[in-house]
Amino acid sequence: MSSRLLLPLLGRTGRRTISAVGGGRRGTDALSGVHAAARRSIIDLSYSAHFMDFKGSSIPSSMKKLVVTKLSPNFREAVSAQTVAVPTPGDADLLVRNRFVGINASDINYSSGRYDPSVKPPFDAGFEGVGEVVGLGLSASSRYTVGDTVAYFGSGAFAEYTVVPAKETVPVPAVKPEFLTLLVSGATAYIAMKRLGDLAKGETVLVTAAAGGTGQFAVQFAKQAGCHVIGTCSSNEKAGFLKSIGCDRPINYTAEDLAKTLRKEYPQGIDVVYESVGGSVFEIAVNSLANKGRLIVIGFISGYQSASGIPPFRGGTLPVKLLQKSASIRGFFLPHFMSDYREALSSMMQMFAKGKLVCEVDCGDLAQEGRFVGLESVFRAVDYMYAGKNLGKVVVEVAPPAVSNSKL
């Protein structure tokens, strides 16, 4: 084989990055075919212009992605859509064609630069995606092949194609948006409840924003632990959904006073609170704790859109309140618990497969401008979530399923 025909193996960056397609993947040296071209092709050279092919549908040379170009809690102001070259996977990487991406409340914390002040724009946005492998590096081919379906939790998900280290991906049986719900929202609830909740059968658990992306999982895991579960929400429709997943006492705070309801119906207090709203809701949660109560803070969405990102809180008497009840407040930030991540994901996927876990997805079918389809819909989806309209995890369909025209 001439050196000219080997160029596709080097990729756009000049590194040897691409594994054999159709040979040399399991138990053989993918490069051994260099001296045996007549016997076996290293790569399907009919697609050598793109060298990464999915079922006969060539990868384009350019794609769209969302980039943070200015630090701001206003997502539309901070982020812009750009057309760039489709990236090349490194030796241990996968190139994933994103089918669905997940929307998180923390997307605007990220666009504000709150997580890592040392990172300056421009940088890629989005935390999670699910899609098909359409290209991969040589080392990555020991675990994956073109056409595999994977989910991942990492930066740069708001793009039509994303390069992801193979070790940071999770194989999934199908490209379903339900698997996206587990990556951040589900994992946060699973690990936080397990590591920080210390749940015991018969305890009372309060979940705020219970019908949201992560709240829905906190409700279900608390019920699985044998607890009595209270869930706050903003509509009767959401209250009905909460009942359907096992919530014992949904409280629609637009129709009922949360503080008064908790005092009246739960005079002994709340044993565990899974709290993501902040501000006045956080204060109510503190005041409602039982003796030895645990308040888990997984976020404070009510303040994210402000300049500081922090909702106002009158905390002068907090030490006294905690001391009087031997209560505690425990913070949870998922990246600090990555040693628990694989086990959490595996357990949740098994529960979902057995029909023991509801993964509610909101793709915007009831949104004013319709379903969230296409990368540009991410902006609408963020607005939709911050307007409190979502029921379940907000998900954007980046691209429709691939239509194969392969004759192989």
Side-chain angles (χ1 to χ4, degrees), residues 44-365:
D44 180 358
L45 292 176
S46 64
Y47 294 103
S48 59
H50 300 303
F51 60 73
M52 296 174 292
D53 176 65
F54 179 57
K55 293 183 179 178
S57 176
S58 295
I59 294 168
S61 59
S62 64
M63 67 169 196
K64 288 182 180 178
K65 71 174 181 177
L66 301 189
V67 179
V68 177
T69 54
K70 173 187 176 183
L71 296 182
S72 171
N74 182 325
F75 193 79
R76 288 181 180 273
E77 190 177 282
V79 178
S80 63
Q82 297 185 1
T83 300
V84 298
V86 172
T88 301
D91 178 63
D93 297 335
L94 305 178
L95 179 66
V96 178
R97 179 177 183 260
N98 290 318
R99 282 280 312 287
F100 298 97
V101 294
I103 306 298
N104 293 282
S106 48
D107 285 327
I108 71 171
N109 287 333
Y110 196 61
S111 71
S112 302
R114 291 170 183 154
Y115 288 151
D116 186 353
S118 67
V119 177
K120 305 299 180 187
F123 54 86
D124 297 343
F127 293 136
E128 54 192 349
V130 61
E132 301 98 352
V133 175
V134 293
L136 68 169
L138 191 59
S139 296
S141 68
S142 64
R143 287 183 55 203
Y144 291 104
T145 188
V146 166
D148 286 349
T149 52
V150 297
Y152 63 91
F153 165 40
S155 60
F158 291 162
E160 292 174 330
Y161 294 85
T162 302
V163 167
V164 189
K167 65 181 181 180
E168 295 177 12
T169 62
V170 180
V172 291
V175 181
K176 290 185 174 181
E178 285 81 4
F179 291 118
L180 264 185
T181 67
L182 305 177
L183 298 175
V184 175
S185 301
T188 295
Y190 184 97
I191 300 170
M193 286 299 209
K194 184 177 181 180
R195 291 287 299 273
L196 305 182
D198 298 329
L199 300 180
K201 187 176 181 180
E203 288 191 314
T204 299
V205 176
L206 169 65
V207 179
T208 62
T214 189
Q216 62 173 323
F217 293 106
V219 168
Q220 293 177 80
F221 296 143
K223 283 304 295 180
Q224 289 175 11
C227 298
H228 176 92
V229 182
I230 311 158
T232 71
C233 62
S234 61
S235 72
N236 290 333
E237 179 196 7
K238 293 180 181 181
F241 165 70
L242 289 176
K243 284 185 178 179
S244 76
I245 61 172
C247 183
D248 298 288
R249 178 60 166 100
I251 299 176
N252 175 358
Y253 58 79
T254 66
E256 298 183 77
D257 184 293
L258 178 59
K260 288 180 180 177
T261 301
L262 292 177
R263 279 198 303 270
K264 179 182 177 182
E265 298 183 21
Y266 301 94
Q268 298 302 310
I270 310 298
D271 298 300
V272 177
V273 182
Y274 185 82
E275 217 293 277
S276 61
V277 178
S280 61
V281 174
F282 177 81
E283 292 183 32
I284 292 170
V286 169
N287 294 335
S288 301
L289 285 172
N291 289 343
K292 299 182 181 178
R294 289 87 69 196
L295 196 165
I296 306 170
V297 177
I298 63 109
F300 28 89
I301 190 172
S302 63
Y304 291 167
Q305 291 176 298
S306 67
S308 68
I310 305 170
F313 169 64
R314 299 185 298 273
T317 59
L318 183 60
V320 176
K321 291 176 179 178
L322 296 179
L323 178 65
Q324 287 176 338
K325 296 180 177 179
S326 296
S328 60
I329 297 175
R330 306 173 180 190
F332 180 89
F333 186 48
L334 183 58
H336 294 159
F337 291 83
M338 294 314 290
S339 59
D340 298 277
Y341 190 73
R342 290 265 168 192
E343 186 274 328
L345 220 52
S346 174
S347 178
M348 289 186 294
M349 287 179 68
Q350 288 177 28
M351 282 187 265
F352 177 63
K354 294 175 182 177
K356 295 182 178 180
L357 188 66
V358 173
C359 303
E360 189 70 18
V361 171
D362 191 335
C363 289
D365 292 297

